[in-house]
């Protein structure tokens, strides 16, 4: 297992203290050590966006961070995003618009979508697409995802 | 797809970081944002025995206006650059470049110093820094030095930095405030690596014609390339003379282009000239 280090981290509002191997990715730490399997792992090299979580309020790819790097920071996964504000609205809109099929990309999509709504918040399809350009979906073709986000921003889906 | 084992250090002082790297430097690596290094380690293209995490070095996070310019700490992220009023006041080029650098979640972690130290030939930042006349501040136990960006990039992942040196900051001189800039990049998908791109600067604002332009291509060779013939042909050309701009942007035969997986040398040259023309026309 090699070198380990004790980290203290706030995950979804809960204070956690664990010994982790220094080479463990944040995504593996969340899934394997904490059982938070809502964070999906696709490519493990920062391309697909399935592993997107929030660290101190900013989206990051959890496969491109080491668990030891979140020492003293706050991590929010899809489990912690659920049920609050824009996420519940997004969840309903995703359902209504068929913005997911297999659901593999969805946790990462939601994390990026929430960031878009909070930071940019314009119902501009081009900007939404740009913001989601690092999140791959192999099922939906994106149209319905953009529709759902536009719905939440409360301006129809006119082109 | 997991990184090989390494030992992990997290210094809290720059002097401590320099002391760690001073020994067996070639077996150690600094970890800044990790957006390139960590995937390279997952692919086992890089296998440092020791990772020195720069996350604990507060000084490297600062953007400070000093007497003769702007000092941007090495671990300032792209998102922080984009959010800094000081930075956009210095040059509006950052606002045009940043959206092209990967994706939001990567920009939240990726750093300016990391990009400079890695010297990926497809990266935007090295070309931008050359165009702005910036320099790179390096420190080791042997001392501190500033290297002009123009002399810093030596080739594929090769720079002027020695193994035991840490990039402390990127320095943008006050002269860059009066530069007008242009930027254009072609990529297959938004945020992907550039197939070809260019950053251009010039101080021609008062005269209405190009004066001393710098034209820096990226993504077309093993390092950023100054297109000197284009620069020479532009001198004295009116900014709205589209005919002369077009012919100047084709003056690329003094350069050697590298092909990539999808594009031949000729294609690269053609696309580079398209980028130059579009960047110039928008200036
Ligand atoms: S698993 Fe992290 S980006 Fe694909
Ligand atoms: S719903 Fe299957 S990958 Fe997006």
């Amino acid at each position: 297992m090699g070198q380990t280090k004790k980290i203290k981290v706030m995950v979804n509002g809960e204070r956690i203290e664990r010994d982790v191997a220094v080479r463990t990715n944040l995504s593996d730490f969340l899934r394997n050590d904490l059982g938070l399997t809502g964070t999906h792992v696709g490519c493990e090299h920062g391309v697909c966006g399935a592993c997107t979580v929030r660290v101190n309020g900013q989206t990051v790819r959890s496969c491109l961070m080491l668990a030891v790097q979140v020492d003293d920071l706050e991590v929010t996964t899809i489990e912690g995003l659920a049920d609050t504000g824009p996420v519940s609205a997004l969840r309903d809109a995703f359902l209504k618009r068929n913005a997911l099929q297999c659901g593999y990309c969805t946790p990462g999509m939601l994390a990026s979508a929430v960031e878009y709504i909070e930071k940019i918040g314009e119902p501009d399809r081009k900007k939404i697409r740009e913001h989601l350009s690092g999140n791959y979906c192999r099922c939906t073709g994106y149209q319905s995802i953009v529709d759902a986000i536009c719905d939440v921003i409360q301006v129809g889906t006119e082109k | 797809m997991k990184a090989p084992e390494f030992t992990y250090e997290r210094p809290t002082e720059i002097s401590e970081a320099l002391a760690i790297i001073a020994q067996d430097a070639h077996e150690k690596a600094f970890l800044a944002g990790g957006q390139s290094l960590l995937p390279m380690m997952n692919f086992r293209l890089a296998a440092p025995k020791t990772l020195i995490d720069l996350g604990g070095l507060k000084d490297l996070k600062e953007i400070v206006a000093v007497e003769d310019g702007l000092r941007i700490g090495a671990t300032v992220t792209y998102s922080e650059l984009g959010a800094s009023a000081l930075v956009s006041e210095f040059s509006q080029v950052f606002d045009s470049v940043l959206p092209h650098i990967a994706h939001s979640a990567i920009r939240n972690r990726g750093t300016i110093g990391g990009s400079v130290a890695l010297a990926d030939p497809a990266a935007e930042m090295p070309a931008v820094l050359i165009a702005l006349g910036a320099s790179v501040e390096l420190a080791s136990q042997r001392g501190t030095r500033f290297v002009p960006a123009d002399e810093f990039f030596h080739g594929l992942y090769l720079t002027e930095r020695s193994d035991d040196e840490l990039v402390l900051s990127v320095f943008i001189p006050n002269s860059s405030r009066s530069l007008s800039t242009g930027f254009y990049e072609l990529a297959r998908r938004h945020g992907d690596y550039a197939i070809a791109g260019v950053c251009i600067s010039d101080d021609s604002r008062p005269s209405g014609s190009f004066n001393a332009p710098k034209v820096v291509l990226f993504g077309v060779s093993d390092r950023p390339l100054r297109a000197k013939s284009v620069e020479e042909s532009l001198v004295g050309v009116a900014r709205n003379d589209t005919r002369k701009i077009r012919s100047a942007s084709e003056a690329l035969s003094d350069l050697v282009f590298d092909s990539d997986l999808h594009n031949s040398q000729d294609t690269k040259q053609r696309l580079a000239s398209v980028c130059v023309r579009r960047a110039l026309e928008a200036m």
Side-chain angles (χ1 to χ4, degrees), chain A residues 27 40-52 61-64 134:
Chain A
S27 50
H40 291 173
V41 172
C43 65
E44 264 188 337
H45 63 274
V47 174
C48 73
C51 68
T52 307
R61 314 212 140 167
S62 57
C63 72
L64 293 191

Side-chain angles (χ1 to χ4, degrees), chain A residues 122-141:
Chain A
E122 295 165 46
D124 177 325
R125 299 185 74 88
K126 192 165 165 258
K127 288 191 179 161
I128 295 174
R129 279 182 171 271
E130 218 166 274
H131 197 80
L132 295 183
S133 64
N135 290 80
Y136 285 12
C137 176
R138 301 288 79 165
C139 301
T140 65

